[in-house]
Amino acid sequence: MDNKIIVTDSASGKSIELPIQHGTYGPAVFDISRIYQSLNYFTYDPGYQVTASCRSTITYIDGEKGELYYRGYPIEQLAEHSNFMEVAYLLMYGELPLTQQSADFTKIISRHSMFNEGLKRFYDGFYHDAHPMAIMIGVVGSLSAFYHDSTDIYNPQHREIAAHRLIAKMPTIAAGCYKHSIGEPFVYPDNSLSYTGNLLHMMFSMPTETYQVDPIAEQALDLIFILHADHEQNASTSTVRLAGSSQANPFACIASGIAALWGPAHGGANEAVLRMLNEIGQVEHIPKFISRAKDKNDPFRLMGFGHRVYKNYDPRARIVRDTCHEVLAKLGNSNDPLLKLAMALEEAALLDDYFIEHKLYPNVDFYSGLIYKALGIPENMFTVMFAVARTVGWVAQWMEMIAEPTRRIGRPRQLYVGPARRDYPKEAVRE
Ligand code: ACO
C-alpha cells in the first residue's frame, strides 16, 4: 500500500494530502509547496536540516553509511581510476567522457587558462597582506565585467563557455592571489601541463629559474581536487543556486559561492585545522583541548571534526588519510610533528565517549590541510585551493538549476518574532 502524508490543522479541521516523491536513493520527500494556500501555514526548518531545496542528478551522499557518489560513481572508484579533468566532465555533462571527448575537454579548458591582462590591475588594488580568499571573491566577481559576451543565461552556449572559463581560469586566479601576497611576478599558465601541474607551476615557478612540477605533488593535488569537486547542496553550493535563481550571471554566482565557502564551519575548516594544531602545540595538551571542545560554555570546537550530513566516517577522509601518509612519507615529512599531533588527536577523539555519542568523525579537511602544508602551500591558501576544485561542482549545479523548466527565484519565508505594529512617537521622547 502506498503511504500518504496527511497534515491536519486541529484548529480549523482542514486537512491536506501532501504528494510524496521518491528519488533514486535517500529518504523520500513530501511536497509542501501547497501547504500555505491550503492551510495558511509556512514550515520552519532553520539550517535546512530536513528540507530538500531542489531535485538533482549530480551528487548523492548517504551520511549514515558514509557514501558519496558523483553521477552514480562511488568516490573511491573515481579516486582510484579517474583524474580531475575527467571528473569535471562527468559532473558537468553527466557521463564519463569518451577518449576523444576527454582530450577535447582538456584542450578547451587549457585554452581558456589565461585571463584578460586588465584583470591583473585588480590585484594591485589589494594590500599585500589581504587574505587570498578576499582577493579571489573580488577577482572572480569582476570576471563578468570582462567576459560579458558569455553572460546570457538563457543561451546554452553562453552558459557552457562561462562554465569552461570559470573552471579554466580559477587556477590562474588562485596563483595570482598567492603571487600578489608574496610580491612575486605573476607566472603565465603553461598549457602543456595538467590542471593541477599548471596550478603548482603558476604558484611556485619564477621567471628567473626553471621549475619542475613534482609528480607526487601534482597527483596528490589531483586527488584532493577529485574529492572536493562536489558535495551536493552544502552552504556554498546552495548559495550559488540561490544567487543563480535571481538570474544573476554565472561569474557573480560563483563569487557568492566562494564567499560562503570562506567560513570556518565550511571550506575555511582546512585552514582552521592547522591553526588549531598549532594552538594545541604538543600531544600532552590534547586532553585539555578535547575537554574544551566538549564544554558547552566554551565556543572551541575541534576543527576538521563533524559534518552536517556524515554521521559516519567521511569517505573522502578515509581516502585522503592514506594519501596524507603516503605523500608525507614520499616527501620526507613523515616525522612532521604536526602530523604526529594530528594522528594523536584523531585517535583520542575517536576513543572519546562524547565524540562517539555525537558521531563526530574527522572530515576531509582534517587531512587536506596537512597535505597542502607538505606541498609548501601556505595556510591562507588552503580554502582558495578548495574553491578551485569546488568550482567544477558549482558550475555543474548552476547549469542544472538554470536548465530546470520550473525554476523559480529562491525566496525563503520567515517566522517574524519582532515588535508588533506600533506608531512613530509624535513628540521627541527618545532621549
Ligand atoms: N567539536 C566539538 N563538538 C562538536 C563539533 C566539533 N567539531 N561538531 C559538532 N559538535 C557537537 C555540537 O556541539 C552539538 O552538540 P550538542 O548536540 O550536544 O549541542 C552536536 O555536535 C551537533 O553539532 P551541530 O553544530 O548542531 O551540527 P551541524 O550539523 O549543524 O554542524 C559542522 C556541522 C558545522 C560541520 C560542525 O560539526 C563543526 O562546526 N565542525 C567543525 C568545523 C569543520 O570541520 N567544518 C568542515 C565541514 S566539512 C566541509 O565543509 C568540507
Side-chain angles (χ1 to χ4, degrees):
M1 197 183 82
D2 275 352
N3 59 329
K4 288 180 180 167
I5 303 287
I6 297 169
V7 178
T8 305
D9 176 9
S10 58
S12 66
K14 278 192 201 165
S15 283
I16 175 174
E17 188 178 320
L18 303 174
I20 297 179
Q21 296 184 29
H22 295 270
T24 314
Y25 297 120
V29 300
F30 53 87
D31 180 347
I32 55 164
S33 54
R34 285 192 311 112
I35 211 160
Y36 173 62
Q37 283 82 352
S38 305
L39 299 181
N40 204 27
Y41 282 100
F42 293 146
T43 55
Y44 183 59
D45 177 23
Y48 308 108
Q49 303 215 58
V50 292
T51 297
S53 61
C54 63
R55 298 167 69 95
S56 183
T57 61
I58 302 175
T59 296
Y60 174 71
I61 302 173
D62 186 324
E64 299 299 327
K65 291 191 193 146
E67 287 175 346
L68 168 64
Y69 302 160
Y70 292 164
R71 302 282 191 184
Y73 294 103
I75 193 68
E76 293 79 7
Q77 293 182 22
L78 293 168
E80 191 175 347
H81 303 296
S82 190
N83 60 62
F84 182 63
M85 272 298 92
E86 193 179 68
V87 165
Y89 185 99
L90 172 69
L91 288 169
M92 264 187 81
Y93 298 106
E95 296 297 334
L96 285 169
L98 303 172
T99 312
Q100 191 55 47
Q101 288 170 325
S102 183
D104 292 346
F105 182 70
T106 305
K107 195 164 161 189
I108 289 171
I109 297 301
S110 56
R111 285 270 164 86
H112 281 295
S113 60
M114 283 203 297
F115 56 52
N116 188 301
E117 287 288 301
L119 254 177
K120 276 193 196 165
R121 287 196 288 277
F122 253 80
Y123 287 85
D124 294 334
F126 289 94
Y127 230 55
H128 65 89
D129 61 355
H131 195 289
M133 283 296 279
I135 304 179
M136 189 175 231
I137 294 166
V139 173
V140 172
S142 77
L143 290 177
S144 49
F146 289 86
Y147 301 102
H148 40 79
D149 59 339
S150 60
T151 52
D152 176 1
I153 61 158
Y154 295 106
N155 182 330
Q157 277 162 329
H158 276 217
R159 300 204 295 259
E160 191 177 31
I161 296 169
H164 289 162
R165 281 177 166 156
L166 275 157
I167 295 170
K169 293 181 200 310
M170 283 302 263
T172 319
I173 292 170
C177 294
Y178 177 57
K179 288 295 195 189
H180 179 76
S181 69
I182 55 170
E184 284 183 8
F186 285 22
V187 173
Y188 285 109
D190 174 349
N191 291 351
S192 68
L193 297 172
S194 71
Y195 191 82
T196 50
N198 212 356
L199 174 53
L200 290 167
H201 156 75
M202 288 186 284
M203 283 181 75
F204 296 121
S205 67
M206 281 187 282
T208 46
E209 285 171 23
T210 47
Y211 172 83
Q212 282 295 324
V213 174
D214 181 342
I216 296 171
E218 184 182 7
Q219 268 176 26
L221 211 51
D222 196 84
L223 175 78
I224 295 183
F225 278 19
I226 292 175
L227 302 180
H228 278 103
D230 195 46
H231 216 226
E232 54 118 304
Q233 309 312 319
N234 54 77
S236 58
T237 303
S238 299
T239 303
V240 170
R241 280 185 176 258
L242 196 57
S245 78
S246 77
Q247 299 165 26
N249 73 69
F251 304 106
C253 295
I254 302 303
S256 68
I258 299 170
L261 187 74
W262 194 0
H266 189 13
N270 51 17
E271 189 182 339
V273 168
L274 263 279
R275 271 203 308 271
M276 174 191 75
L277 290 174
N278 283 318
E279 194 187 342
I280 296 175
Q282 42 186 301
V283 174
E284 296 71 43
H285 295 164
I286 288 176
K288 187 178 92 193
F289 281 87
I290 290 202
S291 303
R292 283 188 60 195
K294 297 192 288 192
D295 181 355
K296 291 284 154 238
N297 299 318
D298 188 329
F300 177 79
R301 281 187 170 196
L302 280 194
M303 288 292 131
F305 281 80
H307 197 278
R308 166 59 63 82
V309 182
Y310 293 120
K311 301 302 170 196
N312 197 328
Y313 218 92
D314 176 345
R316 304 165 302 169
R318 195 170 275 126
I319 298 167
V320 85
R321 184 183 196 273
D322 294 343
T323 307
C324 184
H325 284 282
E326 273 170 40
V327 168
L328 272 86
K330 282 183 190 158
L331 296 177
N333 298 12
S334 50
N335 285 325
D336 188 312
L338 226 48
L339 179 70
K340 289 200 161 150
L341 182 61
M343 294 306 122
L345 177 64
E346 182 200 21
E347 200 185 331
L350 288 176
L351 291 173
D352 189 280
D353 284 347
Y354 174 92
F355 283 81
I356 295 168
E357 272 161 29
H358 286 76
K359 298 187 175 174
L360 295 168
Y361 299 93
N363 56 52
V364 64
D365 286 325
F366 186 68
Y367 303 101
S368 61
L370 293 165
I371 300 181
Y372 289 144
K373 184 175 179 287
L375 303 184
I377 296 168
E379 283 167 36
N380 63 2
M381 282 293 291
F382 290 0
T383 315
V384 167
M385 307 305 274
F386 189 165
V388 174
R390 185 53 60 83
T391 296
V392 162
W394 290 330
V395 299
Q397 300 269 353
W398 174 81
M399 287 177 90
E400 182 179 71
M401 184 214 49
I402 296 288
E404 181 89 47
T406 55
R407 176 175 44 82
R408 307 183 73 183
I409 188 166
R411 176 52 170 97
R413 308 307 290 244
Q414 65 170 9
L415 179 66
Y416 175 72
V417 292
R421 186 194 183 283
R422 48 187 168 164
D423 291 323
Y424 188 85
K426 289 201 180 86
E427 280 156 38
V429 288
R430 280 179 282 165
E431 293 88 60

